[in-house]
Amino acid sequence: MTWNLVADVQQMLSYHFMLNALRAGTIVAVVAGAIGYVMVLRGQSFAGHTLATIGFPGAAGATWLGIGVAVGYFGFCIAGALVIALLPGARRAGSGQGGSGEESAGIGTVQALALASGFLFVSLYKGFLSGLNNLLFGTITGVSDAQVLILLVAGVGCLVVLVALGRPLLFATIDPDVARARGIPVRLLDVAFLVLLGIVTAGCSQVTGSLLVFALLVAPAAAAARLSARPAAAVVLSVGLALLVTWAGETIAFFSPYPIGFWVTTLAFAVYLLAIAHRARLERPGRQTS
């Protein structure tokens, strides 16, 4: 990277793989920002982290079987979401308190099994170790035209469903008991949201890698929650911050030898720290909170 940022950007955009990386990154950032805020609001960050981890054995198993990596990501993450939804002590939405101790233990067990299965698939497929880092930490050179199209279809579908479920999902998140009394299918909404979260994590994993996708889901959303108490404004902020860290992370990764997942995670963490500092400044004695 030089001091001539315009020339640097032109150089970066002259490569087709970077155009695909930016297209894919834009799609996953928009969807992750929106879904991630709801995830944080519902206190389901641990479930989101587990679904991100499940993407790794999905991709490794798909490569071992000789099928598309995207099939493994989406198949395993959606299946994992359904398993979590069926666990004993399934989470009651609302209050931002997360799941019960029984549910957390079940999710942790699923996560451990997923990681073990992933490394088993790696060992079964000889010679696969050369691509292990890409699955775990992401790559900007491996996003194909077909993957961009799959991500676009999945992303648009997730956003349409999220908008359709928006009001009842928010109601069931804030006050599940009253929502249930009003006839809202709270349990069905829990399952539907987990499936949406699984689809989003599968898409994000193909850009940031399975281990670091969680940063893109939670950090912009957590920062947005610190900056605004209004759900609509917070979702817009979350999407904007996710786009910022994704575009910046992909640009820096192009000019450095380090994986994109590292840069996206570092920038997302920095944004979260700035949001905390800003909120703390507003809440100092003598200042009126926004």
Side-chain angles (χ1 to χ4, degrees):
M1 186 175 291
T2 67
W3 291 107
N4 190 342
L5 297 181
V6 174
D8 289 341
V9 171
Q10 290 176 340
Q11 177 190 356
M12 181 178 68
L13 296 181
S14 66
Y15 294 94
H16 184 70
F17 75 86
M18 276 307 302
L19 289 175
N20 275 349
L22 289 169
R23 291 164 183 160
T26 299
I27 295 168
V28 300
V30 171
V31 182
I35 299 287
Y37 174 74
V38 181
M39 178 191 73
V40 170
L41 190 65
R42 290 172 62 84
Q44 290 187 302
S45 296
F46 188 36
H49 176 61
T50 297
L51 289 174
T53 303
I54 289 174
F56 165 59
T63 303
W64 172 47
L65 295 174
I67 59 179
V69 172
V71 175
Y73 275 123
F74 284 105
F76 265 60
C77 286
I78 293 174
L82 294 174
V83 169
I84 291 174
L86 296 174
L87 286 175
R91 175 191 181 279
R92 294 178 63 191
S95 304
Q97 295 176 350
S100 65
E102 184 180 3
E103 184 202 16
S104 298
I107 292 175
T109 302
V110 171
Q111 183 180 126
L113 177 62
L115 281 173
S117 299
F119 285 106
L120 172 64
F121 295 148
V122 167
S123 66
L124 290 174
Y125 184 68
K126 306 302 181 182
F128 179 72
L129 290 176
S130 60
L132 180 59
N133 283 344
N134 293 341
L135 289 184
L136 294 176
F137 303 108
T139 176
I140 59 175
T141 62
V143 183
S144 65
D145 293 339
Q147 283 179 303
V148 173
L149 181 59
I150 292 172
L151 289 175
L152 179 61
V153 172
V156 171
C158 285
L159 290 178
V160 169
V161 173
L162 183 63
V163 170
L165 299 179
R167 284 184 177 274
L169 183 62
L170 182 62
F171 189 9
T173 298
I174 296 173
D175 197 335
D177 293 329
V178 176
R180 192 175 292 107
R182 294 280 185 89
I184 293 177
V186 175
R187 178 61 179 155
L188 182 60
L189 287 173
D190 287 347
V191 176
F193 179 73
L194 280 171
V195 171
L196 282 180
L197 189 57
I199 294 173
V200 173
T201 54
C204 294
S205 295
Q206 298 178 61
V207 178
T208 63
S210 293
L211 293 186
L212 301 179
V213 61
F214 183 63
L216 190 57
L217 274 170
V218 72
R226 292 273 182 173
L227 296 174
S228 178
R230 295 177 297 172
V235 168
V236 173
L237 272 173
S238 180
V239 170
L241 293 174
L243 284 170
L244 176 65
V245 300
T246 300
W247 289 341
E250 289 185 333
T251 301
I252 298 173
F254 176 77
F255 290 100
S256 76
Y258 306 111
I260 179 179
F262 166 76
W263 295 115
V264 170
T265 302
T266 301
L267 293 173
F269 181 63
V271 165
Y272 179 62
L273 290 182
L274 289 174
I276 292 178
H278 176 69
R279 191 67 188 180
R281 183 179 64 86
L282 292 178
E283 293 177 348
R284 284 185 306 182
R287 294 187 64 94
Q288 182 178 1
T289 58
S290 59

